[in-house]
Amino acid sequence: GNGLIGLSFDLADNYTLYYDCTNPAGLTCLPNGSYEGIPNTASQFSADNNGVLISLPAVLNSGSTTEVDGLLVFGIGTQANNTPSSSAVSLANDSNINDANYLTFDAAFGGSWTTAYLDSGTDVVYFQDSSLAQCSSSGEYAGYFCPASTVNAVFSLASYGSTTQAYALDYSVVDPSTIGYFTSALAVSNVAGPASTTVSTSAQTIAFGLSTHFGRNVYVLFNGMTGKGLTGTGPVNGID
């Protein structure tokens, strides 16, 4: 494909980040709010409408040179194929739409807690680590980390407002050029970049992108919904 799709907790699109670039002037994209409020498609189903599951197989440390097939399953805990396992972890997200941290949970790296989010529409992991060398700002991999050797990063994940670890995520970081990211590697699970390169609520916010989904089941429980196998009312992320 030519892009990544992010999956939202919201039952309807409450954002106004739409622009019309076909106006007569041709040089300026003007705000266009006519798409605001479009419903989340999955939430409109007559059944299996409380969330979605992304299930992707693991990929090798060297990356995958072929397409990786996974599943997008509708519903959570409504069918045998979308029910979390007994070992599934629930991460409650900030549910206050007026809060700057809306739809984030908490995570720690290096002992410091901050906000974070899981997003299949982001390619890799983006976080702050001043000890990791960044790739050349003028090269192909600008905006990524380029460590001299593999670095293991361990993240603690917790529900929003908590510092009690619910899930430990181990993530290796390599120089993307060594595995052919952008060229031969179509899917990777060990590339990362500094958090300031992402669109997030804060430069310190950790973005757990698509690369963290490989080898895991990631659940997105919609706002106000409950799902068998997950704890609490959405917005909640589940991982198993």
Side-chain angles (χ1 to χ4, degrees):
N2 294 321
L4 299 174
I5 298 176
L7 302 170
S8 175
F9 295 99
D10 289 321
L11 301 182
D13 194 335
N14 296 311
Y15 305 98
T16 57
L17 301 178
Y18 292 99
Y19 295 88
D20 179 7
C21 299
T22 61
N23 59 83
L27 300 176
T28 304
C29 292
L30 303 176
N32 183 346
S34 61
Y35 297 104
E36 183 180 2
I38 291 178
N40 184 322
T41 303
S43 71
Q44 300 300 296
F45 296 157
S46 59
D48 306 321
N49 57 11
N50 62 342
V52 294
L53 156 64
I54 306 171
S55 182
L56 293 169
V59 300
L60 297 174
N61 291 336
S62 56
S64 175
T65 58
T66 59
E67 293 182 356
V68 176
D69 293 328
L71 296 173
L72 173 62
V73 184
F74 299 115
I76 296 176
T78 59
Q79 306 289 341
N81 68 342
N82 64 23
T83 298
S85 70
S86 59
S87 61
V89 169
S90 299
L91 299 170
N93 283 239
D94 182 1
S95 60
N96 184 355
I97 195 171
N98 297 313
D99 194 333
N101 296 321
Y102 180 53
L103 302 184
T104 65
F105 52 87
D106 285 349
F109 173 72
S112 298
W113 286 91
T114 185
T115 51
Y117 58 93
L118 281 157
D119 180 24
S120 59
T122 297
D123 61 340
V124 295
V125 178
Y126 292 94
F127 66 104
Q128 290 290 340
D129 186 352
S130 58
S131 69
L132 276 175
Q134 296 188 30
C135 305
S136 170
S137 60
S138 60
E140 180 180 14
Y141 296 105
Y144 294 93
F145 290 126
C146 281
S149 60
T150 301
V151 173
N152 187 50
V154 180
F155 300 92
S156 296
L157 278 57
S159 289
Y160 182 72
S162 172
T163 55
T164 300
Q165 176 180 290
Y167 186 81
L169 192 153
D170 291 345
Y171 192 85
S172 296
V173 182
V174 302
D175 181 333
S177 67
T178 63
I179 59 173
Y181 190 41
F182 293 167
T183 54
S184 59
L186 301 180
V188 298
S189 60
N190 51 5
V191 174
S196 58
T197 62
T198 69
V199 177
S200 63
T201 57
S202 163
Q204 297 296 320
T205 296
I206 301 172
F208 293 106
L210 185 66
S211 60
T212 63
H213 291 51
F214 293 113
R216 296 181 174 91
N217 292 322
V218 177
Y219 303 84
V220 179
L221 184 64
F222 295 155
N223 284 351
M225 300 290 188
T226 59
K228 179 182 178 182
L230 295 183
T231 302
T233 301
V236 172
N237 279 119
I239 306 175
D240 66 12

